[in-house]
Amino acid sequence: YASILRGMSTRNRWPRAATQPCLPMATKRRGFVVPASASSFASSVSEATKRDVPPPSIFNDVLGPVMRGPSSSHSAAALRIGRIVKMLLEDGLSHHPHSTAGGDTAGATLQEKNATAEGTTRPPRVKLLVEYDPNGSLVTTHDGQGSDMGLLGGLMGWEADDSRLTNFKEEAAKAGLEMEVRYLSYGAQHPNTYRMTATSDNGSRVEATAISTGGGIIEFLQVDGFPVTFRGDREELLVWMEERPECEEKKENRKRNDKHAEEEGKVSDFIERALEESNRKNIDTFATVYEMEGNTAAPSGSKKLLLQVSSSSETVIKSILEKLRCDHRDRSSASSSNGSSSSSSSNILIKKVAAIRPVLPVKDPGRQGRLVPFLNVAEMEQYAEDHDNMPLWQLGARYESARGNMSEDEVLDAMLRTASIMRGSVEEGLAGTSYSDRILPCQSSSLARAMNQGQVIPGDVLNKVILYVTAIMEVKSSMGVIVAAPTAGSCGACPGTILAVAEQLGKDEVEVARALLVAGIVGGMIAKHA
């Protein structure tokens, strides 16, 4: 890192205007993008809107997430935000027996990690402070629409359809989780803004700001004051560093000793080689170094730095993470043998590492995922004409195959699983549902009995559509598992209609999945251009 940062002697500055937010001007050097400094939270929102985002995914943006709760943009999105905060808290430099690169596994929770940190069995103390801006939507909805439930469920490592979400408060208490909610005006520019500070009794702490943009889609806007942006659809590695001023003796030693300089750069050179190799293999990987100047908490003359490596490949992130771990062990051993932690020749101190695994079902494959066959209806029609009048469902499969870097058969199999979940929601609803926090009682089972007894005015398929849509919506309102389409509030209309019509026409599950692909690709075109 020292060799990289010394090579970055010229740091661009950007003009400060009285009426415009300050946006970082970036320069590229040796494969790294280096903003001049960290911007404010308000400017990071504006900057995030300019970043390249992949085209819509059918499973990410149209038919999904699979979830429990009243709202995809509150319940499911908050859970995904919570899962990422959990990963930000975990120590990526240490090897945990149950941990993966992102530390997010069913076998080991954050609470279990913290409990073993002190060699005790007592429940750990993990606290999340969440600040909602009164100018946004969450002050009045965070409880009833499931944001609190989602955040705590995510911190416990759950998926959005976990059965324990119905008792999340009891489960959080057993896991030693606490959450404090404050209402504070801080100029949030998005109505669904989560400003969070998470601490655990093992000494880990992180501040982060994230937004929910609808349908379970999220974006992180800052981490510990750095304008880092990611959407939970890529492999991310964050490395917190501190650059300390070199003493004159170290400067002279570095100038005289070329081997010494090579040693300082060995990890950074490895990262650069990984980036170059990834791009040769068409694996989209990039790195960014953020610098924060004028930090009063750091020693005089020091600077806080954050390295972000973002990749479409888990293997790339794992290899860099393992190299960092080895380097950390070597430096720790050298410091111990010399009896001082300051014996390292480098003026770059690694403070923390966190690996973030994707929380969306379809990852962003980077450049390859941008190469979808069409991006609007006119292009889709032309593509179909050029490919022997390809049917609409296959156009959907072809698009999602390119978008998610998977085969068309894999796309169809995934949609078959989605159709099965939707049918399960109908069956659960017709069996009868109940929930204490619900205004209306179960009605779909009564309607089904009335239809079977001939007490409903004949409506052919229309009555069945109404029945199925109602059943799915009642499952949603009773904390059952549904597929947001594209939101939890609209989870009944598309699935209920397709399932009812397919049943009336005697279509099998493959035809249902194909019909859902038709709905998905139409929805994807709307999402792209709405």
Side-chain angles (χ1 to χ4, degrees), residues 510-528:
V510 172
E511 290 296 321
V512 170
R514 289 177 174 178
L516 288 170
L517 282 169
V518 171
I521 192 58
V522 171
M525 296 300 99
I526 294 172
K528 176 64 178 175

Side-chain angles (χ1 to χ4, degrees), residues 175-202:
L177 285 173
E178 299 178 25
M179 184 167 70
E180 178 185 356
V181 176
R182 294 179 186 173
Y183 304 149
L184 179 67
S185 294
Y186 49 82
Q189 296 189 7
H190 192 281
N192 296 337
T193 299
Y194 298 78
R195 194 166 82 169
M196 301 159 289
T197 302
T199 58
S200 65
D201 61 357
N202 66 355

Side-chain angles (χ1 to χ4, degrees), residues 111-164:
Q111 292 71 39
E112 289 169 339
K113 258 186 97 170
N114 293 343
T116 58
E118 299 178 12
T120 66
T121 57
R122 66 161 178 81
R125 290 182 293 273
V126 178
K127 184 172 183 177
L128 178 68
L129 169 64
V130 190
E131 295 173 318
Y132 297 128
D133 194 314
N135 295 313
S137 69
L138 294 171
V139 165
T140 56
T141 62
H142 68 88
D143 183 21
Q145 290 295 300
S147 295
D148 297 349
M149 174 188 71
L151 288 173
L152 288 172
L155 275 173
M156 289 184 279
W158 299 349
E159 296 286 349
D161 61 345
D162 197 293
S163 60
R164 293 168 291 182

Side-chain angles (χ1 to χ4, degrees), residues 468-485:
Y468 285 9
V469 170
T470 304
I472 294 173
M473 293 300 293
E474 288 177 346
V475 169
K476 187 267 294 186
S477 66
S478 62
M479 287 293 294
V481 176
I482 52 94
V483 178

Side-chain angles (χ1 to χ4, degrees), residues 88-89 129 197-200 202-207 224 240 352:
L88 288 171
L89 275 174
L129 169 64
T197 302
T199 58
S200 65
N202 66 355
S204 183
R205 182 180 188 274
V206 67
E207 297 179 4
D224 284 339
W240 286 256
K352 177 184 171 183

Side-chain angles (χ1 to χ4, degrees), residues 92-105 234-239 267 270-271 274-275 278 283 285 309-327 329 353-358 363:
L93 287 177
S94 65
H95 288 278
H96 188 262
H98 302 291
S99 180
T100 64
D104 188 15
T105 67
R234 290 173 62 85
E235 306 282 345
E236 308 281 351
L237 185 66
L238 301 183
V239 184
V267 177
F270 175 83
I271 294 175
L275 295 176
S278 296
I283 299 173
T285 306
V309 183
S310 179
S311 179
S312 59
S313 168
E314 180 184 1
T315 302
V316 171
I317 295 298
K318 279 187 172 182
S319 65
I320 296 175
L321 180 59
E322 186 57 36
K323 185 66 175 178
L324 285 168
R325 286 171 172 164
C326 291
D327 182 73
R329 287 195 298 269
V353 175
I356 313 299
R357 298 301 318 282
K363 295 198 322 187

Side-chain angles (χ1 to χ4, degrees), residues 323-512:
K323 185 66 175 178
L324 285 168
R325 286 171 172 164
C326 291
D327 182 73
H328 178 69
R329 287 195 298 269
D330 292 344
R331 290 177 185 270
S332 298
S333 299
S335 297
S336 300
S337 62
N338 288 312
S340 171
S341 61
S342 61
S343 61
S344 173
S345 59
S346 176
N347 65 320
I348 302 297
L349 178 65
I350 298 178
K351 307 288 286 185
K352 177 184 171 183
V353 175
I356 313 299
R357 298 301 318 282
V359 294
L360 295 183
V362 177
K363 295 198 322 187
D364 173 15
R367 293 186 302 271
Q368 188 170 350
R370 307 302 194 273
L371 302 177
V372 291
F374 42 81
L375 280 172
N376 57 51
V377 173
E379 291 177 358
M380 182 169 65
E381 289 179 330
Q382 185 61 52
Y383 187 90
E385 183 178 333
D386 294 342
H387 292 79
D388 299 323
N389 294 318
M390 181 179 288
L392 196 51
W393 74 265
Q394 193 172 357
L395 290 169
R398 181 69 54 86
Y399 172 94
E400 191 70 1
S401 171
R403 168 60 179 82
N405 193 24
M406 63 183 92
S407 70
E408 292 181 35
D409 286 341
E410 289 174 320
V411 173
L412 185 59
D413 287 344
M415 194 59 80
L416 282 166
R417 292 192 295 272
T418 299
S420 177
I421 295 169
M422 292 173 174
R423 190 172 294 283
S425 299
V426 171
E427 293 171 354
E428 182 180 349
L430 294 178
T433 59
S434 62
Y435 196 66
S436 58
D437 189 18
R438 188 166 74 176
I439 297 174
L440 296 175
C442 172
Q443 299 176 84
S444 58
S445 56
S446 300
L447 176 58
R449 285 194 299 272
M451 289 172 60
N452 291 334
Q453 296 170 3
Q455 297 176 350
V456 177
I457 297 174
D460 196 33
V461 70
L462 183 59
N463 282 344
K464 184 169 287 189
V465 168
I466 294 171
L467 176 66
Y468 285 9
V469 170
T470 304
I472 294 173
M473 293 300 293
E474 288 177 346
V475 169
K476 187 267 294 186
S477 66
S478 62
M479 287 293 294
V481 176
I482 52 94
V483 178
T487 69
S490 61
C491 67
C494 173
T497 300
I498 288 178
L499 290 172
V501 172
E503 189 173 311
Q504 192 76 11
L505 297 177
K507 301 295 183 180
D508 60 18
E509 287 300 287
V510 172
E511 290 296 321
V512 170

Side-chain angles (χ1 to χ4, degrees), residues 227-245:
V228 179
T229 61
F230 51 88
R231 303 173 68 246
D233 59 352
R234 290 173 62 85
E235 306 282 345
E236 308 281 351
L237 185 66
L238 301 183
V239 184
W240 286 256
M241 301 176 288
E242 186 178 303
E243 181 184 21
R244 295 180 175 178

